Amino acid sequence: MAHASDGRSLEFKLPDLGEGLTEAEIVRWLVEVGDVVAVDQPVVEVETAKAMVEVPCPYGGVVTARFGEEGTELPVGAPLVTVAVGEGDAAPDAPVRGAGPDTAAGAAEAPAAEKKAEGSGNVLVGYGTSEAPARRRRVRADRQPATGASGRANGRVRGAEPVDGPVPVISPLVRRLARQHDLDLRELTGSGPDGLILRADVEYALRAAAAQGGRTAAQEAGTGRAPGASSSASSLASGASRPDGTRVPLKGVRGAVADKLSRSRREIPDATCWVDADATELMRARTAMNASGGPRISLVALLARICTAALARFPELNATVDTEAREIVRLEQVHLGFAAQTDRGLVVPVVRDAHARDAESLTAEFARLTEAARAGRLTPGELTGGTFTLNNYGVFGVDGSTPIINHPEAAMLGVGRIVPKPWVHEGELAVRQVVQLSLTFDHRVCDGGTAGGFLRYVADCVEQPAVLLRTL
């Protein structure tokens, strides 16, 4: 194993793996301490709220430390591994990393203009290949409590007084969880690197509060808060007598879905309208297309083509709301998301530039993204940036639904199952292939007239596909 004297130790931190992601869970380590790694070699497989990702290390050398066990959740910016690079990879005047105070006392100061080691530059979003400080000492959750007035806060060791200065929390999810349960983060000691407070620390504290009869951290610290003070932790305690059930953590894809849908419900004043349509002619048109040879055209591709034509006529629905600026942002490109159910949960892959694709191209892209979703290979870029969503819930054998808008989009078209039903056709009762269509829309971007016009146009195209010829 290489030592600091052979070169220097470079720290590789968990990068920003995509839009809005703040943490990732270690699924599988691909290297061991002591292994030699090449530049851009994957060192760990992590699961974010959006996808499974193999993370490449931009340094080549010997792995001297790994931070976190499999199953551990790390925030973006937390160290993953340290790599000792050889003399040939490091600046000749690089100082020794990891020296303690006693060894540093006799060492000469490094030159101010120290040359920086360079990484591959082939990095993911938001992180660089900067040189790390010394291999940092890991902070463990089982550290000994201080004496005197010190004690335990919700099961985690804390000092005699709340910590002054900024609270060591990176993840906004951790802050929100603590705020929802009236938990003072200053009274917790984190188990992450350098005392970083992780979500597991907050969850542990809340469970401990419930087990101790609903006493909050402030009460244990002697702040005098009344036992009847409003606190979600005490609410948890009040339910401690209920029979225990199976608890499933809201994390990964399930947690991301929960957060996004909750945010949509909080922020978007949505409304839904729906209409039944005779899809017989659309089904016949698809049969004729597939009988003519060439790649087969999927039904969802035809529905997507109808969506893009409708959005060209009603661009108000291809939009988002900038709440800070109090502005509606109408978007030029249509990046069409579609709901896909997988073993890992519901995901919404995005077909880029759907407005510029024909039915064959849409069919191929839907098939590619669906297969990637089922295999867990979707990248963050394929799961973000949608402007409108198509939800074909008819595959579950249901007729209708009132779907929740995929925040921050402004609308979602829902399609139920297509089934034979009695229908008045050309003045006579006949059995036709009928589908229910629904449109859930953000009432801030348009009124009911626009939403109704959009849905009526979609229904007209389903009933008379020749209507689309006007826009081809």
Side-chain angles (χ1 to χ4, degrees):
M1 181 180 298
H3 298 280
S5 58
D6 299 326
R8 53 180 167 175
S9 182
L10 302 179
E11 187 179 80
F12 173 48
K13 299 179 180 180
L14 178 65
D16 178 358
L17 299 171
E19 299 177 18
L21 300 179
T22 59
E23 53 200 2
E25 180 179 330
I26 297 174
V27 175
R28 180 168 59 100
W29 281 105
L30 306 178
V31 295
E32 301 286 343
V33 174
D35 286 357
V36 177
V37 295
V39 171
D40 294 334
Q41 175 181 334
V43 294
V44 66
E45 183 179 37
V46 300
E47 180 180 17
T48 71
K50 297 184 181 294
M52 299 273 281
V53 181
E54 286 188 352
V55 182
C57 179
Y59 307 122
V62 178
V63 177
T64 58
R66 300 187 321 191
F67 298 95
E69 302 299 326
E70 293 179 357
T72 302
E73 198 167 64
L74 296 178
V76 169
L80 277 176
V81 295
T82 55
V83 178
V85 299
E87 289 183 354
D89 300 321
D93 55 350
V96 175
R97 295 288 169 186
D102 51 344
T103 58
E109 278 194 355
E114 177 185 340
K115 186 186 296 183
K116 303 293 182 185
E118 294 184 357
S120 67
N122 183 19
V123 295
L124 297 173
V125 180
Y127 76 90
T129 53
S130 59
E131 176 184 349
R135 172 177 172 179
R136 67 176 66 185
R137 178 173 56 86
R138 298 183 65 187
V139 179
R140 301 187 181 276
D142 56 354
R143 64 176 67 172
Q144 295 298 317
T147 59
S150 63
R152 290 184 175 269
N154 292 339
R156 293 287 181 181
V157 178
R158 59 175 175 80
E161 296 179 356
V163 178
D164 292 330
V167 179
V169 179
I170 292 178
S171 170
L173 297 178
V174 173
R175 292 185 181 275
R176 181 174 61 192
L177 181 62
R179 185 169 58 251
Q180 289 173 344
H181 294 281
D182 195 24
L183 186 64
D184 189 353
L185 289 172
R186 295 179 181 275
E187 297 180 342
L188 298 185
T189 296
S191 61
D194 284 351
L196 189 69
I197 296 175
L198 307 179
R199 181 160 60 185
D201 299 321
V202 175
E203 292 171 345
Y204 181 91
L206 294 173
R207 287 195 299 270
Q212 295 167 8
R215 290 179 299 169
T216 64
Q219 287 173 298
E220 285 194 28
T223 58
R225 179 182 295 182
S230 173
S231 170
S232 297
S234 60
S235 298
L236 289 176
S238 64
S241 60
R242 292 196 300 265
D244 290 335
T246 302
R247 293 181 177 269
V248 180
L250 274 175
K251 64 179 184 177
V253 173
R254 185 74 261 159
V257 170
D259 291 340
K260 196 158 193 176
L261 296 183
S262 297
R263 183 177 182 183
S264 179
R265 274 289 187 238
R266 286 194 308 269
E267 295 186 8
I268 298 178
D270 60 341
T272 301
C273 53
W274 56 89
V275 66
D276 290 339
D278 180 1
T280 306
E281 296 303 323
L282 180 67
M283 301 301 286
R284 287 175 179 171
R286 176 174 176 257
T287 300
M289 290 179 190
N290 291 334
S292 63
R296 293 183 63 82
I297 304 300
S298 68
L299 178 60
V300 71
L302 294 179
L303 293 170
R305 185 67 187 85
I306 291 172
C307 270
T308 58
L311 288 171
R313 294 173 66 95
F314 299 92
E316 297 92 334
L317 293 168
N318 192 52
T320 187
V321 175
D322 185 338
T323 54
E324 292 186 1
R326 293 184 62 81
E327 294 176 340
I328 297 172
V329 183
R330 293 181 181 170
L331 306 167
E332 298 293 332
Q333 289 78 27
V334 178
H335 301 315
L336 187 67
F338 66 99
Q341 192 69 38
T342 71
D343 292 339
R344 298 175 60 237
L346 177 70
V347 294
V348 184
V350 177
V351 177
R352 302 283 169 183
D353 298 315
H355 61 289
R357 296 176 181 265
D358 58 18
E360 285 189 6
S361 174
L362 287 167
T363 297
E365 187 66 357
F366 277 123
R368 183 187 73 81
L369 290 172
T370 300
E371 176 60 28
R374 289 172 179 165
R377 297 195 307 268
L378 288 171
T379 66
E382 292 170 331
L383 286 162
T384 55
T387 64
F388 186 93
T389 295
L390 173 62
N391 188 355
N392 182 21
Y393 44 73
V395 297
F396 301 119
V398 299
D399 296 323
S401 175
T402 54
I404 299 175
I405 295 174
N406 187 23
H407 184 280
E409 297 170 11
M412 176 185 293
L413 178 69
V415 182
R417 61 177 179 162
I418 301 177
V419 293
K421 287 185 178 181
W423 190 268
V424 177
H425 177 65
E426 295 181 350
E428 296 183 356
L429 188 64
V431 176
R432 306 286 286 182
Q433 299 293 317
V434 178
V435 63
Q436 185 179 98
L437 306 170
S438 67
L439 177 71
T440 300
F441 64 99
D442 186 340
H443 225 313
R444 296 173 298 180
V445 304
C446 69
D447 295 324
T450 299
F454 174 94
L455 190 59
R456 186 65 257 170
Y457 179 80
V458 169
D460 290 344
C461 290
V462 168
E463 293 183 338
Q464 304 175 52
V467 172
L468 279 176
L469 294 176
R470 296 178 61 89
T471 62
L472 294 180

